[in-house]
Amino acid sequence: MRQIPVDTTAATVMVAKTPQPKVRDRRTGEIATDADTGAKLMTVDVMFAANDEVEILSVTVPEPGITGELAMGTPVALTGLVARPWENDFNGQKRHGIAFRAVAVTSLVDTAAKAA
């Protein structure tokens, strides 16, 4: 599947909703896992502000890639952020969108505190 790297250097990124387990199957409650490592996947909603526009993005991250306290409003860095276009048929209706995935979400508050 095609992956598009997302440049976050000129963006302001803050936590909009704390990390939640990514549910693979809503009927059974099964939690999604990374196909390569088996790590539990989490979803972090972030406010992504760039070029005078602000959007809320849901970013999938392996649980080991979440570092620091990620409370609402915490500035964060997104490492290895990629966008993946997707499309599927569900009950005869075509659906499409963009899924976002990162290697890590790191609190910048913790980084600033360590540097001081």
Side-chain angles (χ1 to χ4, degrees):
M1 176 177 269
R2 187 172 76 185
Q3 296 184 55
I4 302 164
V6 179
D7 181 10
T8 61
T9 54
T12 299
V13 184
M14 294 175 21
V15 175
K17 185 177 178 186
T18 57
Q20 305 290 316
K22 181 176 177 92
V23 178
R24 179 183 175 134
D25 186 334
R26 292 182 185 170
R27 291 173 287 144
T28 65
E30 178 186 2
I31 303 300
T33 57
D34 184 275
D36 295 330
T37 65
K40 182 167 119 179
L41 293 177
M42 305 293 284
T43 300
V44 182
D45 289 353
V46 297
M47 180 204 71
F48 190 93
N51 303 321
D52 294 328
E53 292 185 25
V54 177
E55 293 197 39
I56 302 295
L57 306 178
S58 289
V59 180
T60 299
V61 184
E63 190 174 39
I66 295 176
T67 55
E69 182 66 33
L70 299 183
M72 185 185 304
T74 303
V76 293
L78 300 173
T79 304
L81 182 64
V82 294
R84 294 179 176 161
W86 61 268
E87 180 177 280
N88 65 22
D89 285 311
F90 185 73
N91 290 335
Q93 293 184 328
K94 278 198 179 243
R95 297 176 44 178
H96 63 277
I98 299 173
F100 293 92
R101 178 140 179 185
V103 172
V105 177
T106 308
S107 169
L108 295 178
V109 172
D110 292 346
T111 305
K114 288 177 185 173

